[in-house]
């Protein structure tokens, strides 16, 4: 019905940059908030950043000033530009979107499959 496809993860050295993308496809009527979450080994999943359909953003304190979330509403896509990466940013990053499909009357959470980001020298 709805699929979220992520791309852009990989291995990067400390101080480097990566750009994640997540595109939604399927029977989409409307998308409200979009966001990125991450989960490191042995830790709970945590919020990284969110963006409303009006462009308001929210960031975890640990990534403020280094990460930037943005969206392309025409392409149902959310991006995460990650700069000045640190070893503690290593995690599986997953995108989340609150989507109303053509078959529903409300918004529901949809998740991407997750993409590994490893920051290491």
């Amino acid at each position: 019905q709805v699929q979220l496809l992520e791309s852009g993860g990989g291995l990067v050295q400390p101080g480097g940059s990566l750009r994640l993308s997540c595109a939604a496809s399927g029977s989409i009527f409307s998308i409200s908030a979009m966001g990125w979450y991450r989960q490191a080994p042995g830790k709970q999943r945590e919020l990284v950043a969110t963006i409303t359909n009006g462009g308001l953003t929210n960031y975890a304190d640990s990534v403020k000033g280094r990460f930037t979330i943005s969206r392309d509403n025409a392409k149902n896509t959310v991006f995460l530009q990650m700069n000045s990466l640190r070893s503690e940013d290593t995690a599986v990053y997953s995108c989340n979107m609150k989507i109303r499909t053509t078959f529903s009357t409300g918004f529901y959470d949809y998740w991407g499959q997750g993409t590994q980001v490893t920051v290491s020298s």
Side-chain angles (χ1 to χ4, degrees):
Q1 209 174 27
V2 173
Q3 286 188 322
L4 272 59
L5 183 62
E6 301 170 4
S7 61
L11 173 64
V12 64
Q13 292 186 340
S17 299
L18 282 175
R19 180 178 170 87
L20 305 182
S21 301
C22 174
S25 61
S27 304
I28 298 169
F29 180 82
S30 180
I31 303 176
S32 60
M34 299 179 175
W36 288 94
Y37 293 74
R38 67 186 182 186
Q39 186 168 21
K43 294 186 177 181
Q44 289 188 327
R45 184 169 61 192
E46 64 174 355
L47 180 148
V48 176
T50 60
I51 183 168
T52 68
N53 55 5
L56 296 177
T57 59
N58 179 55
Y59 295 93
D61 288 342
S62 60
V63 307
K64 283 181 180 177
R66 300 188 298 123
F67 291 10
T68 302
I69 189 171
S70 60
R71 61 191 283 170
D72 184 335
N73 292 327
K75 296 182 179 180
N76 294 332
T77 300
V78 62
F79 305 96
L80 185 68
Q81 178 67 44
M82 304 185 292
N83 298 328
S84 302
L85 283 161
R86 306 167 180 168
S87 58
E88 53 263 39
D89 295 318
T90 295
V92 174
Y93 285 70
S94 300
C95 62
N96 168 270
M97 297 187 188
K98 300 189 185 300
I99 298 174
R100 178 184 171 186
T101 69
T102 55
F103 307 102
S104 68
T105 57
F107 288 85
Y108 297 90
D109 283 318
Y110 289 83
W111 292 89
Q113 79 283 5
T115 185
Q116 178 70 45
V117 171
T118 302
V119 184
S120 176
S121 55

